[in-house]
Amino acid sequence: MKVIVVGCTHAGTAAVEQILTKHPETKVTVYERDDNIAFLSCGIALYLGRIVNRLEDMFYADPTTLEGYGAEVHMKHNVLKIDSKNKKIVVQDLQTQEIFEDTYDKLIMTTGSEVGVPPIKGMDNQRVLLCKSYAQAKKIYESALNYPSIAIVGAGYVGVELAESYANTVHEVSLIQSRDQILNNYVDDGLSQEIIDKLKEHDVKVHLGERVSEIEDGEQLTIKTKAGHDYKADLVIVCTGFFANTDLLRGQVQMDGYGAIIINDYMQTSNPDIYAGGDSCVVKFNPTGEYRYIPLASSAVRQGTLAGINIFGNIRKYMGTQATTAMEIFGYTLAETGLTYKKAIANGINADYVVYKDYYRPNYMPTTDMLTIYLVYDKDTRKVLGAQLFSKHEVAQSANAVSICIQNDNTIDDLAYVDMLFQPNYDNPFNYLNLVAQMAIDKEDKIDKK
């Protein structure tokens, strides 16, 4: 069988490794228009914050890795056209400009995503930068060395991580967000405010409800907002989200309204000979059961691996995702999974939430840290829908535990009394996940008694 992989970041790399590890007789050809593969863009903030010294360490594979498995890898080759009816592609060698055709039996579309460029006047200014790729990260790093003040437009994960990195490297930082909270896809209002407070403690200026309309050139850039305010900075980094890079298959496979490829449980598109994975396609979001566009490296690796398995038949189903993520900010861990309360209500779920605030382990221990947990649940079914955790204590693995609960349709009653270890170094006789679920049960019991 001849397989062509178009695009090779996380999902493409995983697909190639899976295919050639299990089926080394397969002819696998990779076409990648960039000069690198497998770049961990989530590590950019670590590099900019001087925590990681070499940006090159953010590559966990290279073309020779895939060639070692037996793949034929063509870097700096841009796929110009996919003819799914005839199973052909048209490719251009970006170095020689030669254009040629290739054919396939199965095609895996792992073209990833592009940074969304908002309709802001002045985006073409050389001091206005985007942040996702290796080349963009290098440009940001080099530019920031010469500029003391930086404005970041967009306060999702990337924007907040960059704000922390530049605050830690003694830059003057402004974080400008169009919404009325930061991290609006990940946390609820109360926890958003806690993180804003941490940013302000480190002199980051946070501006909410400010949609940028124009970036005006000058000795300093002037960032103008629709609310009528002006902000000054030497350098602007725009982090307003991503969109699926799927134009090559537009009109040939089914896509959602945002251009993300729709897949079935086996990573197969509406064309049975084309599979997709990673940021180019949707994910099954288990808390709602819907297919949504949620670009994450964790999903990309899983989907790419499954595409590599299932091109040989419907072998292993895709389990879906809870979109579990985590970040470190000023020594605190923020981890979340599933739905926020606000998102649950927006999805028409009869949801509620409880907030747990206490020390993660007994007070008699030499040290301990305060822990905040938001637990979101369905009042009708009592199923766990989501959780957000914030502490100096490492709580990322607790978010993974709640992710499993959501995956398995567990209820607050299950979580409240599920067996968890007790050891004073780590927690109390009831783990804090038990305790927050017991709070939810108490809240529902009080409602039932009224």
Side-chain angles (χ1 to χ4, degrees), residues 285-290 292 338-352 376-386:
F285 187 54
N286 289 322
T288 62
E290 299 173 320
R292 291 171 47 184
L339 284 168
T340 65
Y341 172 69
K342 188 180 285 187
K343 293 282 185 183
I345 295 298
N347 275 274
I349 300 172
N350 183 23
D352 206 345
V376 184
Y377 61 94
D378 186 322
K379 290 171 63 64
D380 297 330
T381 65
R382 298 171 76 94
K383 287 181 182 178
V384 176
L385 297 174

Side-chain angles (χ1 to χ4, degrees), residues 408-429:
N408 293 335
D409 289 333
N410 290 133
T411 64
I412 54 175
D413 308 277
D414 297 326
L415 182 57
Y417 296 101
V418 68
D419 179 37
M420 293 189 177
L421 69 85
F422 164 57
Q423 215 287 337
N425 281 296
Y426 307 111
D427 61 358
N428 287 290

Side-chain angles (χ1 to χ4, degrees), residues 7 9 32-34 78 110-118 130-133 136 238-248 258 278-280 293 295:
T9 51
E32 169 56 54
R33 66 184 180 185
D34 212 335
N78 188 31
T110 51
T111 44
S113 59
E114 301 283 351
V115 178
V117 181
L130 304 175
C131 183
K132 185 176 193 290
S133 69
Q136 289 167 345
V238 177
C239 312
T240 50
F242 308 105
F243 65 90
N245 181 19
T246 56
D247 286 348
L248 286 169
Y258 299 96
D279 289 7
S280 62
Y293 186 59

Side-chain angles (χ1 to χ4, degrees), residues 39 56 102 105 118 203 231 375 379 419 427:
F39 177 65
E56 290 73 21
D102 200 355
D105 297 311
D203 300 319
Y231 302 103
L375 182 69
K379 290 171 63 64
D419 179 37
D427 61 358

